[in-house]
Amino acid sequence: MTEGAARADRPEHGSRAEVAAYLGTYTSWPGGGTGIGLGVYDGATGRLRATGVVPGVPNPSFVIVEGRRLYAVNEQSDGAVTALEVGADGVPKVVNSQPTGGADPCHLALHRGFLLSANYSSGSVSVHPVRPDGGLGERTDLVVHEGSGPDPERQEGPHAHQVLSDPAGEFVLAVDLGTDSVYSYALSDQGKLTSVGVARLHAGAGPRHLAFHPSGKFAYIANELDSTIVVAAYDGGVLTPGPKVSTLPAGAPTTPRNYPAEILVSPDGRYVYLSNRGHDSVAVFAVERGGAELRLVEATPVGGRFPRHITLDAAGRFLLAANQNSGTVTTFAVDRSTGKLRQVGTVDSPVPVCVALKG
């Protein structure tokens, strides 16, 4: 993405198909960005073009957008979260930042008037109230996970990697790579988390992210350490892990080691997509038996290296992949009858690790 002062180009010809795009990066890495990348995404063509950057936001490795409000993690040892408001010129401006009380926050979710963050290195979940102006109030809760897993390098302790609401907006789930667990919570009006249950996955799975089927009855858990997806039944805040499938096609090379990252479900619930870092592909799965089973359709080369984050546009017509190690974001057209992907575009971006599209 273009470096320099923040700016946002107006959509060409006033196209209603064009929406704002925001890219997360690491500002502390060699070759990284200087803040949150700005872009414009054309939903008619899948084209993404760079328009500028919001400088001075440190390590915004995960970004979410809701209306004219933007929230970013500051993934660093003294973790923080930053709130931004999109101005009339289309450029987000920082409202304020708040410490998370944890280390290396890497994921965010808005839930019932609060912003929740997953702190990877400290294995904790933070809660901040959202003020009327979109800024963040002081932290109301910090829940620290306990435990470890069999991988001595990656599971020496808890590592919260994702926090999200369930489809009904009733419960909060936190996926923890270090403890091979998914924790379920209820959030009070005062911003306090209360445990509802813990789903334990097989040892050494390293769960990273999960995505729900539109029915709300199933969730698909992407496991970073053994390249599997676990299909879990879901009911009232309780996950029940079931069968697992490989994220790689049969005969795929074992080196370099593969690390699954993001997982998505198509809006119609017919397909699941997962990014494979190492194999450098996007795996496409057909959803069968009403959501209870997944079948690998193909693993499409991503056109870059180490695809970390992937996202579908609101219509489910295009998929974008942020390729961390090649400094590119690739766009794929989605065949909605087969789920298969076809690459249609590429744009350069410094260490892209997240793509957020305004809905």
Side-chain angles (χ1 to χ4, degrees):
M1 305 283 284
T2 304
E3 297 297 331
R7 62 186 180 87
D9 294 347
R10 300 288 183 181
E12 295 177 353
H13 311 299
S15 170
R16 293 183 180 179
E18 290 191 334
V19 297
Y22 307 98
L23 277 81
T25 185
Y26 285 106
T27 58
S28 62
W29 286 24
T34 59
I36 299 173
L38 299 176
V40 173
Y41 169 74
D42 188 333
T45 65
R47 180 189 179 209
L48 177 68
R49 58 186 175 89
T51 62
V53 65
V54 180
V57 182
N59 282 354
S61 63
F62 190 77
V63 179
I64 59 174
V65 58
E66 183 177 83
R68 303 192 69 83
R69 296 174 177 179
L70 195 66
Y71 299 93
V73 301
N74 306 128
E75 190 176 336
Q76 47 199 10
S77 57
D78 293 326
V81 284
T82 296
L84 304 96
E85 180 82 11
V86 179
D89 59 358
V91 176
K93 297 174 178 61
V94 172
V95 178
N96 75 331
S97 296
Q98 289 282 3
T100 64
D104 299 311
C106 61
H107 199 271
L108 297 171
L110 288 164
H111 181 81
R112 295 188 172 183
F114 294 88
L115 182 75
L116 296 98
S117 50
N119 300 297
Y120 177 80
S121 293
S122 53
S124 58
V125 177
S126 307
V127 184
H128 290 87
V130 176
R131 304 184 321 209
D133 67 350
L136 299 170
E138 293 186 2
R139 190 178 70 247
T140 56
D141 206 357
L142 178 69
V143 174
V144 181
H145 299 160
E146 296 181 354
S148 59
D151 188 318
E153 295 182 359
R154 299 295 308 281
Q155 295 184 309
E156 79 293 345
H159 292 303
H161 217 309
Q162 184 194 33
V163 61
L164 75 163
S165 300
D166 70 1
E170 300 225 353
F171 299 99
V172 172
L173 289 84
V175 183
D176 196 296
L177 183 149
T179 64
D180 289 325
S181 301
V182 180
Y183 300 81
S184 298
Y185 298 100
L187 182 67
S188 74
D189 292 341
Q190 292 72 43
K192 300 294 184 181
L193 291 169
T194 302
S195 178
V196 173
V198 181
R200 305 291 184 184
L201 280 77
H202 55 280
R208 178 185 174 98
H209 282 191
L210 69 78
F212 280 98
H213 188 269
S215 69
K217 297 179 180 180
F218 298 97
Y220 309 107
I221 305 168
N223 298 311
E224 180 173 336
L225 300 184
D226 73 349
S227 293
T228 63
I229 296 175
V230 165
V231 180
Y234 182 74
D235 183 26
V238 178
L239 281 170
T240 303
K244 63 180 179 180
V245 295
S246 175
T247 70
L248 299 171
T254 57
T255 56
R257 185 175 176 181
N258 186 62
Y259 300 93
E262 189 63 80
I263 187 166
L264 303 170
V265 183
S266 62
D268 60 9
R270 296 179 60 201
Y271 299 99
V272 167
Y273 299 91
L274 175 138
S275 57
N276 279 312
R277 298 172 298 171
H279 191 253
D280 292 344
S281 63
V282 177
V284 181
F285 295 86
V287 176
E288 300 181 335
R289 291 187 56 221
E293 288 185 2
L294 297 180
R295 174 178 54 83
L296 181 63
V297 175
E298 66 177 9
T300 305
V302 78
R305 297 194 307 276
F306 225 60
R308 175 158 162 163
H309 186 256
I310 57 175
T311 190
L312 287 164
D313 67 9
R317 293 184 59 196
F318 295 96
L319 180 145
L320 291 82
N323 303 308
Q324 177 177 329
N325 291 357
S326 57
T328 57
V329 179
T330 45
T331 300
F332 297 85
V334 178
D335 184 328
R336 286 182 284 183
S337 64
T338 65
K340 293 184 177 182
L341 304 174
R342 175 177 56 86
Q343 186 174 334
V344 295
T346 302
V347 65
D348 293 335
S349 180
V351 190
V353 290
C354 178
V355 181
L357 302 177
K358 184 176 179 180

